[in-house]
Amino acid sequence: MKNRWMIFFSGIITVKISGKGLERLLNTLIRNGLSIWQVRRQGVESITFKMKLSDVKAFRKYVRGSGCKVKFFKREGFPFLLIRLLHNSGFLIGAILFFFVILILSNMIWGIQIKGAEPATEYKIQKELDKMGVKVGKLQFFVDNVEGIQRQLTNNVEEITWVGVELQGTTYHLQVVEKNEPKPPEYLSPQNLIAKKKAVIVDMFVEEGQAVVDIHDSVEEGQLLVSGLIGKEGQNVQVPAKGEVLGETWYRSDVELPLKSTFQVFNGNEKRKYYLEVANFRIPIWGFGKIEYKNYETEATEKTIQFIKWKLPLSFISETHRDKEEETRIYSKEEAFQVAKEMAKLDIKNRLSEDAKIKGEKILRQSLDNGKVSLSIHFQIIENIAEGQPIIQGESE
């Protein structure tokens, strides 16, 4: 029949009628729009057929006075299935609770393993994980994702250089690389040290090789500083020249800064929403209502729900909506020049190595035009200007 599923949800009754006038009764039922199917004769004076539960009331009306006996002996469909389940509600509730408990336990943190860290560093990592809420017994839905945990640990624990975080089932595995690990020995081939930029030498420390320049010498880019050929003439030995040659170098930084600027900032207000996603269909489970903020930013995290070791086609989605507001910042002329100067210093530091130092600075140009401060600064820097250059076979001083 058509719409068999609709009939199943409405309920199906199997009916047996006995007596004379069976055909007349069947014709009356069909004529009045009652759906009957699977009509089978059971002997000379009895017939069985199926009909919809919703037609039973009308069926009783037509049976009265027909002289036929009626017996309902089989009930199918969702309404009867629901009645049987309600009769066994204890078993049903127990099965649902069991499934729910297993589901919760499958998405809980049951272990945190930290490898590659000394006990003191491991303790600090554990304390930081506790602050983030990553602890045994916590639901995975309410902790940061793997990338977020890795980023926070790297930023907040000074003793580590890198940490890899991986979630396997219900256990977080952390692989740590500490900063104090000994560096592997550096094996160099024979080389000279040359100047990587123009400078005036202010200090030198030669560990291996022969210095060919002196303090206060002015050198050009590519000029030889420390030779990797040592020994008497004609009996030279090639060595990997090593050391530091500190030189005074010069940099220029140009900065522009508007006196008035407008930008977006978070004001601390936020609203959280939680969803259960099934086949790209979201079911809200917490945080109902519209977002009342006029201007806001949304951050969403999605976590797949597991059942024991299997990943279900379900996801738990957490959305955080943070309220933003527009703020205008206005500098005076003096304040703008000071801020521009600090920006220029930061620009220079980002272009230098960690060991480089600023010796001095000189403002080349400063101006105010069209609401903008323009600043050019010349910086004197002390930095290591030496870099290695392999010695070509057959090269001599």
Side-chain angles (χ1 to χ4, degrees):
M1 286 187 64
K2 295 181 180 180
N3 300 323
R4 178 61 61 87
W5 278 107
M6 296 298 296
I7 295 174
F8 173 82
F9 279 103
S10 66
I12 303 169
I13 296 286
T14 302
V15 183
K16 181 178 181 181
I17 57 176
S18 304
K20 297 179 180 180
L22 299 176
E23 290 79 5
R24 184 170 60 254
L25 177 59
L26 289 178
N27 290 333
T28 300
L29 297 176
I30 295 171
R31 211 167 32 244
N32 286 277
L34 275 70
S35 297
I36 61 175
W37 65 95
Q38 292 187 13
V39 180
R40 293 188 178 90
R41 183 171 288 278
Q42 305 289 328
V44 179
E45 294 186 348
S46 62
I47 290 175
T48 61
F49 58 85
K50 294 180 182 292
M51 66 183 303
K52 294 191 292 184
L53 177 63
S54 57
D55 289 338
V56 169
K57 187 176 181 180
F59 171 72
R60 290 181 186 275
K61 181 177 71 173
Y62 297 122
V63 168
R64 293 191 191 102
S66 67
C68 297
K69 295 181 180 180
V70 178
K71 182 180 180 181
F72 302 102
F73 66 94
K74 189 175 182 182
R75 297 167 176 81
E76 305 170 79
F78 180 75
F80 303 108
L81 179 62
L82 183 60
I83 291 171
R84 285 196 291 270
L85 287 174
L86 292 176
H87 287 163
N88 298 279
S89 58
F91 175 78
L92 177 63
I93 294 171
I96 293 173
L97 287 176
F98 174 78
F99 177 82
F100 182 74
V101 169
I102 294 298
L103 192 67
I104 292 297
L105 295 179
S106 301
N107 292 275
M108 195 172 280
I109 301 173
W110 286 110
I112 300 173
Q113 296 184 2
I114 303 173
K115 296 181 179 179
E118 295 294 328
T121 305
E122 183 175 341
Y123 175 76
K124 289 186 177 181
I125 292 173
Q126 192 66 60
K127 294 293 286 184
E128 191 63 34
L129 290 173
D130 288 343
K131 290 180 184 178
M132 291 187 283
V134 183
K135 58 181 72 176
V136 174
K138 188 76 175 284
L139 281 173
Q140 297 174 18
F141 306 138
F142 303 110
V143 301
D144 206 349
N145 56 28
V146 168
E147 292 77 13
I149 295 172
Q150 182 174 326
R151 182 173 58 254
Q152 289 191 55
L153 288 176
T154 304
N155 293 338
N156 299 338
V157 182
E158 297 180 354
E159 288 78 5
I160 63 176
T161 301
W162 176 85
V163 57
V165 182
E166 184 180 6
L167 176 61
Q168 296 180 0
T170 58
T171 301
Y172 281 93
H173 296 266
L174 283 72
Q175 185 64 47
V176 179
V177 176
E178 294 196 56
K179 289 182 179 178
N180 58 3
E181 285 191 350
K183 294 182 179 179
E186 185 179 13
Y187 298 99
L188 299 174
S189 58
Q191 65 173 13
N192 297 321
L193 294 182
I194 62 171
K196 55 186 176 182
K197 58 184 65 177
K198 183 179 179 180
V200 174
I201 298 173
V202 296
D203 201 1
M204 297 179 64
F205 172 72
V206 179
E207 185 177 345
E208 191 166 4
Q210 180 67 43
V212 297
V213 293
D214 207 345
I215 296 175
H216 306 307
D217 284 354
S218 179
V219 296
E220 299 291 331
E221 181 180 352
Q223 183 174 334
L224 180 65
L225 303 176
V226 180
S227 173
L229 299 174
I230 60 175
K232 297 180 180 180
E233 187 176 351
Q235 297 179 346
N236 293 330
V237 177
Q238 295 181 351
V239 298
K242 290 188 291 184
E244 284 189 353
V245 180
L246 300 181
E248 180 181 316
T249 57
W250 307 273
Y251 291 81
R252 173 172 168 164
S253 180
D254 298 303
V255 177
E256 281 190 351
L257 179 67
L259 294 179
K260 181 179 179 180
S261 58
T262 303
F263 50 93
Q264 300 285 334
V265 295
F266 295 115
N267 59 18
N269 297 327
E270 64 180 34
K271 184 171 184 179
R272 293 179 181 269
K273 287 177 172 284
Y274 300 100
Y275 302 89
L276 189 66
E277 186 174 83
V278 185
N280 295 325
F281 180 74
R282 288 189 177 186
I283 304 170
I285 58 178
W286 189 261
F288 304 99
K290 294 182 179 179
I291 307 298
E292 300 173 353
Y293 309 137
K294 184 178 180 181
N295 190 16
Y296 61 90
E297 185 174 296
T298 301
E299 180 183 350
T301 58
E302 180 178 352
K303 295 190 177 181
T304 303
I305 298 176
Q306 295 189 151
F307 183 76
I308 309 178
K309 64 178 181 179
W310 299 283
K311 289 186 176 181
L312 302 179
L314 304 173
S315 297
F316 179 82
I317 297 176
S318 170
E319 286 186 350
T320 302
H321 306 277
R322 295 186 175 91
D323 190 12
K324 294 197 301 184
E325 60 185 25
E326 194 174 86
E327 185 169 306
T328 301
R329 181 174 57 198
I330 301 176
Y331 291 116
S332 65
K333 181 180 177 181
E334 293 73 18
E335 288 173 336
F337 278 123
Q338 187 61 38
V339 172
K341 189 176 179 180
E342 294 300 322
M343 290 173 62
K345 283 185 178 180
L346 183 61
D347 172 55
I348 291 298
K349 288 179 180 179
N350 290 334
R351 289 155 59 182
L352 300 174
S353 64
E354 292 183 0
D355 298 331
K357 298 178 181 179
I358 298 177
K359 179 183 178 182
E361 60 190 57
K362 181 180 179 180
I363 297 177
L364 301 177
R365 179 180 59 85
Q366 63 179 26
S367 62
L368 176 60
D369 188 27
N370 295 325
K372 286 185 179 180
V373 164
S374 298
L375 188 66
S376 294
I377 302 182
H378 184 270
F379 289 94
Q380 296 169 278
I381 307 297
I382 304 299
E383 61 179 321
N384 181 21
I385 62 169
E387 66 177 356
Q389 182 187 62
I391 296 177
I392 302 172
Q393 285 292 333
E395 182 181 348
S396 60
E397 288 185 300

